[in-house]
Amino acid sequence: MNFNEQLKKIRTYEAGKPIELVVRDFGIQTKDIVKLASNENPYGCSLKVQDAVSKIISKMAMYPDDSMMNLKAALSNRFGVNEKNLIIGSGSDQVIEFLIHAKANSSSKILMNSVTFAMYEIYAAHVGATIIKTTSQEHDLEQFYELYLKEKPSIIFLCTPNNPTGDAIDAQELFEFIKKIDDDTLVVVDGAYMEYALVKDAKKEVKPKELISNFANVIYLGTFSKAYGLGGMRVGYGIADTKIINELYKLRPPFNITTLSLEAATVALDDEEFVNDSIVKSFEEMKRYEEFAKSKNIEIIESYTNFVTLCLDDLKSSTQIANLLLQKGMIVRDLSSYNLNAIRVTVGTKEQNTKFFELIAEIL
Amino acid sequence: MNFNEQLKKIRTYEAGKPIELVVRDFGIQTKDIVKLASNENPYGCSLKVQDAVSKIISKMAMYPDDSMMNLKAALSNRFGVNEKNLIIGSGSDQVIEFLIHAKANSSSKILMNSVTFAMYEIYAAHVGATIIKTTSQEHDLEQFYELYLKEKPSIIFLCTPNNPTGDAIDAQELFEFIKKIDDDTLVVVDGAYMEYALVKDAKKEVKPKELISNFANVIYLGTFSKAYGLGGMRVGYGIADTKIINELYKLRPPFNITTLSLEAATVALDDEEFVNDSIVKSFEEMKRYEEFAKSKNIEIIESYTNFVTLCLDDLKSSTQIANLLLQKGMIVRDLSSYNLNAIRVTVGTKEQNTKFFELIAEIL
């Protein structure tokens, strides 16, 4: 059977090794496995959220409220934007899918950082768009602008803080950059880790309200998967001018998040204390990674997120290090597929991080 | 801002009115609202499933096992097919999305029944494919074959039992039809309500294993949203030859169902007693609808599902009837958007159905 041409170029995406497969493949018991690979919130999720979801367990048979009335009201309140400026996705991933399918096709170009969130490229491949990348590891907005002028992309992705490196763009520089972009180019500001960045450095905070009241061609992406501790519930959102939101809505399938996810995300916005505590603890623990890296002479990228990227020297291969850790039940992210000889490690709980330092010391 | 050409033709899909909006718009209390509009399982979901999900509530922060090892093993066991013949979607809707994006584009044709599940047409519009429909209300496989010969579609959708009408194709006729279709045409057999059909009439049972061992160009779709009572958890699946599954996998985003959904669906397959009880009770209650229709001289389509379609005469408009019921807190599905002067009513619990008969008697 023949399939669409663009599928020939797509390789199947493989997510990081789940705990279930480490148990099966290495015979390690679940309790002895530590996963610091997917930047989940190591403190789990808010007890208020757990309580609220427990109370509606019997509603699993019922489709969710497809108007997402309560969640939209809560997000609207949180960001000071109108509900009509919001779209909810199954993770912010799905909003990326909507916007690429709405704006790009096989004759489009999509501009992104050399190293950035993998889903941009994956969804771009689905529509057969051409991917243009900068050469700089950090977002170099001058280079972005040069490539914008030269290539005339339909979409520009800016990921701040950036995944998988952890660095962030100054909000003011970001605004100056967007001012120079024409109205027909969609600029995506992916703030999946923004909650962390703004605690560390106020200059990095990109406020969605400010963004969309200044620019009709920008969409801000946020997620409940990181600081809000709901990675397993698949809820993200886009905030933009209604002209953009209305088009994306045409591509949104009904009931795109679960009944329990809707409740979880709505209540999560009501427990900022949990979120703030997680972030403060994460940056406290991050210091140990910085000290560790210094003591071992390993380069570390300054991170505005809940993960750190350890750049290895040429004597050690990140793939080998990640595999050796895996065999000891420690799951981290090898960045070799991003052409980096580096591993990305989620800043875990105190105990998890201690275990990481112990295990990596045995290897290095 | 300009968007892709095909978006101009897409209207935003509006799902049936959720309970939350009836509360808000008509000031009716939640406890007084009965929703018989979305064919959810009125008996909720299995207590075993509720118990299992309750136990992993604290895992909401963790991404799901993206290999879906346990769910695939359970489905493989249930249907006697290899795990490599399976793909899981966020509802079977998402598998429809994958297959349309994999096989169709703006120069493709997609053949479907005149009245059938709305998502086929919605996803077809996303890729700008041309939709070809039969004229018969029930699936007329001779007409399907004539149109197949004439139009050379890339995909043929067969929905059995059919939504929103409830009728079903004999499995043997379905097999005879597929035999005549060339290898490069993808035939989709959507069995979302199959669990109901096979209890009512064994001749309607399409066995996925038999289907895929005979045909390399067929995909069978199933869902946990109906008989399994997990409409709110968004889990469906496709079963097909690996050559098809591998291509669809290229379009599957990672983590496309939630951590709790994965557990719910896996455990649901372990409680067939709940499913069978629900189905038996549903057909028991359906008799009351048949008697009601007979007494009121309303035509009813023989249904192999958990819903009934009441065809109104020209003196009454389905939109008006549905609206009058809505104002009384009874949500049913007006089928006027399918060009039918009919309402679709989920067969609810005894109490819900009694309330339906009371309220509609006040109107008719």
Side-chain angles (χ1 to χ4, degrees):
Chain A
M1 179 171 291
N2 294 308
F3 292 92
N4 284 333
E5 198 56 32
Q6 70 267 24
L7 266 72
K8 289 185 184 153
K9 293 182 198 155
I10 303 179
R11 281 187 311 164
T12 302
Y13 178 85
E14 287 217 22
K17 205 159 181 102
I19 288 175
E20 289 78 357
L21 287 184
V22 178
V23 172
R24 192 182 71 179
D25 296 351
F26 297 110
I28 302 171
Q29 289 186 25
T30 307
K31 68 171 178 54
D32 294 328
I33 295 171
V34 176
K35 184 175 168 227
L36 297 176
S38 302
N39 308 335
E40 292 137 331
N41 189 328
Y43 307 103
C45 67
S46 150
L47 289 174
K48 281 188 191 170
V49 172
Q50 293 183 43
D51 192 42
V53 172
S54 294
K55 283 188 182 136
I56 60 157
I57 283 282
S58 66
K59 297 273 176 71
M60 287 191 286
M62 304 291 283
Y63 286 107
D65 163 20
D66 200 47
S67 75
M68 306 195 192
M69 193 173 71
N70 296 336
L71 177 55
K72 282 192 177 172
L75 279 168
S76 161
N77 183 48
R78 165 83 178 72
F79 290 112
V81 297
N82 194 293
E83 294 179 22
K84 288 179 178 154
N85 296 116
L86 293 167
I87 187 164
I88 314 292
S90 176
S92 51
D93 298 27
Q94 198 184 30
V95 185
I96 298 167
E97 183 183 0
F98 298 156
L99 64 89
I100 286 180
H101 281 273
K103 183 70 185 164
N105 53 53
S106 59
S107 52
S108 310
K109 291 175 179 173
I110 299 181
L111 175 59
M112 64 189 75
N113 202 48
S114 65
V115 178
T116 195
F117 186 41
M119 293 310 296
Y120 311 151
E121 194 166 349
I122 289 171
Y123 284 123
H126 288 188
V127 299
T130 303
I131 292 147
I132 311 288
K133 288 184 179 181
T134 61
T135 54
S136 159
Q137 185 182 287
E138 290 196 11
H139 281 68
D140 174 344
L141 294 180
E142 278 181 35
Q143 202 185 117
F144 264 89
Y145 188 61
E146 280 166 27
L147 286 167
Y148 156 74
L149 290 176
K150 187 178 160 208
E151 304 280 0
K152 311 235 167 284
S154 306
I155 305 175
I156 302 174
F157 279 101
L158 301 172
C159 186
T160 182
N162 192 27
N163 178 9
T165 50
D167 53 290
I169 308 169
D170 278 2
Q172 203 184 327
E173 284 177 35
L174 185 105
F175 275 74
E176 293 303 322
F177 171 77
I178 301 172
K179 270 185 203 162
K180 298 188 288 184
I181 306 301
D182 71 290
D183 292 350
D184 195 34
T185 303
L186 178 63
V187 181
V188 184
V189 178
D190 185 346
Y193 295 90
M194 187 58 74
E195 289 84 1
Y196 291 93
L198 64 89
V199 168
K200 180 161 179 172
D201 183 351
K203 288 201 302 293
K204 305 293 184 186
E205 183 179 8
V206 179
K207 292 180 179 146
K209 185 184 177 175
E210 211 176 317
L211 203 58
I212 71 165
S213 54
N214 278 286
F215 307 110
N217 63 329
V218 175
I219 184 164
Y220 178 90
L221 303 182
T223 184
F224 287 90
S225 298
K226 307 301 173 187
Y228 285 92
L230 291 173
M233 299 304 279
R234 317 303 299 123
V235 192
Y237 50 90
I239 306 178
D241 190 277
T242 51
K243 288 207 183 85
I244 295 174
I245 295 295
N246 294 348
E247 294 298 316
L248 302 188
Y249 247 95
K250 293 180 180 179
L251 299 179
R252 185 191 71 92
F255 311 129
N256 59 323
I257 70 170
T258 77
T259 300
L260 303 190
S261 304
L262 202 51
E263 179 74 3
T266 307
V267 177
L269 284 168
D270 223 23
D271 193 356
E272 289 295 335
E273 198 184 329
F274 168 81
V275 175
N276 292 334
D277 277 359
S278 301
I279 295 170
V280 168
K281 281 190 274 190
S282 183
F283 282 124
E284 267 309 309
E285 283 295 309
M286 192 182 280
K287 287 182 196 154
R288 296 174 67 198
Y289 281 86
E290 288 161 353
E291 283 158 18
F292 165 81
K294 203 174 172 184
S295 75
K296 296 281 180 185
N297 235 343
I298 295 172
E299 190 196 334
I300 195 170
I301 301 172
E302 183 168 17
S303 172
Y304 294 84
T305 66
N306 68 340
F307 61 82
V308 290
T309 300
L310 303 174
C311 304
L312 304 171
D313 62 39
D314 293 345
L315 298 173
K316 303 171 194 84
S317 129
S318 61
T319 306
Q320 207 183 351
I321 298 287
N323 277 335
L324 287 169
L325 286 169
L326 190 61
Q327 287 164 34
K328 293 170 185 282
M330 170 65 62
I331 317 177
V332 301
R333 189 73 189 235
D334 168 27
L335 298 184
S336 62
S337 64
Y338 294 86
N339 290 320
L340 293 180
N341 187 31
I343 57 171
R344 190 191 67 186
V345 186
T346 307
V347 177
T349 62
K350 193 169 192 165
E351 295 69 31
Q352 289 174 325
N353 300 328
T354 300
K355 185 153 186 186
F356 173 80
F357 299 130
E358 280 169 19
L359 293 177
I360 195 146
E362 294 171 14
I363 291 166
L364 287 179
Chain B
M1 178 171 290
N2 294 308
F3 291 93
N4 285 333
E5 198 56 30
Q6 71 267 26
L7 266 71
K8 289 184 186 156
K9 293 182 200 155
I10 304 178
R11 281 187 310 164
T12 302
Y13 178 84
E14 286 217 23
K17 204 160 182 99
I19 289 175
E20 289 78 357
L21 287 184
V22 179
V23 172
R24 194 181 69 180
D25 297 350
F26 298 110
I28 302 170
Q29 289 187 25
T30 307
K31 69 172 178 51
D32 294 328
I33 295 171
V34 175
K35 185 177 167 223
L36 297 175
S38 301
N39 307 336
E40 292 136 333
N41 189 328
Y43 307 102
C45 68
S46 150
L47 288 174
K48 281 188 191 170
V49 172
Q50 294 184 42
D51 192 43
V53 172
S54 294
K55 282 187 181 138
I56 60 158
I57 283 282
S58 67
K59 296 273 176 71
M60 286 191 287
M62 303 292 282
Y63 286 106
D65 163 20
D66 201 47
S67 75
M68 305 196 194
M69 193 172 71
N70 295 336
L71 177 56
K72 282 193 177 171
L75 278 169
S76 159
N77 183 47
R78 166 81 177 72
F79 290 112
V81 297
N82 195 293
E83 293 179 22
K84 288 181 177 153
N85 296 115
L86 293 168
I87 185 163
I88 314 292
S90 175
S92 51
D93 297 27
Q94 198 185 30
V95 185
I96 297 167
E97 183 183 358
F98 298 156
L99 65 89
I100 286 181
H101 281 273
K103 183 69 185 164
N105 54 50
S106 59
S107 52
S108 310
K109 290 175 179 173
I110 299 182
L111 175 59
M112 64 189 74
N113 201 48
S114 66
V115 179
T116 195
F117 186 40
M119 293 311 296
Y120 310 151
E121 194 166 348
I122 290 170
Y123 285 123
H126 289 187
V127 300
T130 302
I131 292 147
I132 311 289
K133 288 184 179 181
T134 61
T135 54
S136 159
Q137 186 183 287
E138 290 196 10
H139 281 68
D140 175 345
L141 295 180
E142 280 181 34
Q143 202 186 118
F144 264 90
Y145 188 61
E146 280 165 28
L147 285 167
Y148 156 75
L149 290 176
K150 187 180 158 204
E151 305 281 1
K152 310 234 169 284
S154 307
I155 305 175
I156 302 174
F157 279 100
L158 301 172
C159 187
T160 182
N162 192 27
N163 179 9
T165 50
D167 52 288
I169 308 169
D170 278 3
Q172 204 185 328
E173 283 177 36
L174 185 106
F175 275 75
E176 293 303 322
F177 171 78
I178 301 172
K179 269 184 202 162
K180 297 187 288 183
I181 306 301
D182 72 289
D183 292 352
D184 195 34
T185 303
L186 178 63
V187 180
V188 184
V189 178
D190 185 344
Y193 295 90
M194 188 59 74
E195 290 83 1
Y196 292 92
L198 64 88
V199 168
K200 180 161 179 172
D201 184 351
K203 288 201 302 294
K204 305 295 183 184
E205 182 179 9
V206 179
K207 292 179 180 147
K209 184 183 178 177
E210 213 176 314
L211 203 60
I212 70 165
S213 55
N214 279 285
F215 307 110
N217 62 330
V218 175
I219 183 162
Y220 178 90
L221 304 182
T223 183
F224 287 90
S225 298
K226 307 301 173 187
Y228 285 93
L230 292 173
M233 299 305 279
R234 319 303 299 122
V235 192
Y237 50 88
I239 306 178
D241 190 277
T242 51
K243 288 208 181 85
I244 295 174
I245 295 296
N246 294 346
E247 294 299 314
L248 302 187
Y249 247 97
K250 293 181 179 178
L251 299 179
R252 185 192 71 94
F255 311 129
N256 59 324
I257 70 169
T258 78
T259 300
L260 303 191
S261 304
L262 202 51
E263 179 74 3
T266 307
V267 177
L269 284 169
D270 223 25
D271 192 357
E272 290 294 335
E273 198 185 331
F274 167 81
V275 175
N276 291 334
D277 277 359
S278 301
I279 295 170
V280 169
K281 281 191 272 187
S282 184
F283 282 124
E284 268 307 310
E285 283 295 308
M286 192 182 282
K287 288 181 196 155
R288 297 175 66 200
Y289 281 86
E290 288 161 353
E291 283 158 20
F292 165 81
K294 203 174 171 185
S295 75
K296 296 280 179 185
N297 236 342
I298 295 172
E299 192 197 331
I300 195 170
I301 301 172
E302 183 168 18
S303 172
Y304 295 83
T305 67
N306 68 341
F307 61 82
V308 289
T309 300
L310 303 174
C311 305
L312 304 172
D313 62 39
D314 293 345
L315 298 173
K316 304 171 195 85
S317 129
S318 62
T319 306
Q320 207 183 350
I321 299 285
N323 276 334
L324 287 169
L325 286 169
L326 190 61
Q327 288 164 32
K328 294 169 184 281
M330 170 64 62
I331 318 177
V332 301
R333 189 73 189 237
D334 168 27
L335 299 184
S336 62
S337 64
Y338 293 86
N339 290 320
L340 294 179
N341 187 32
I343 57 170
R344 191 191 67 186
V345 186
T346 306
V347 177
T349 62
K350 193 170 191 165
E351 296 70 31
Q352 290 174 325
N353 301 328
T354 300
K355 185 153 186 187
F356 173 80
F357 299 131
E358 280 169 17
L359 293 177
I360 196 146
E362 295 171 14
I363 291 166
L364 287 177

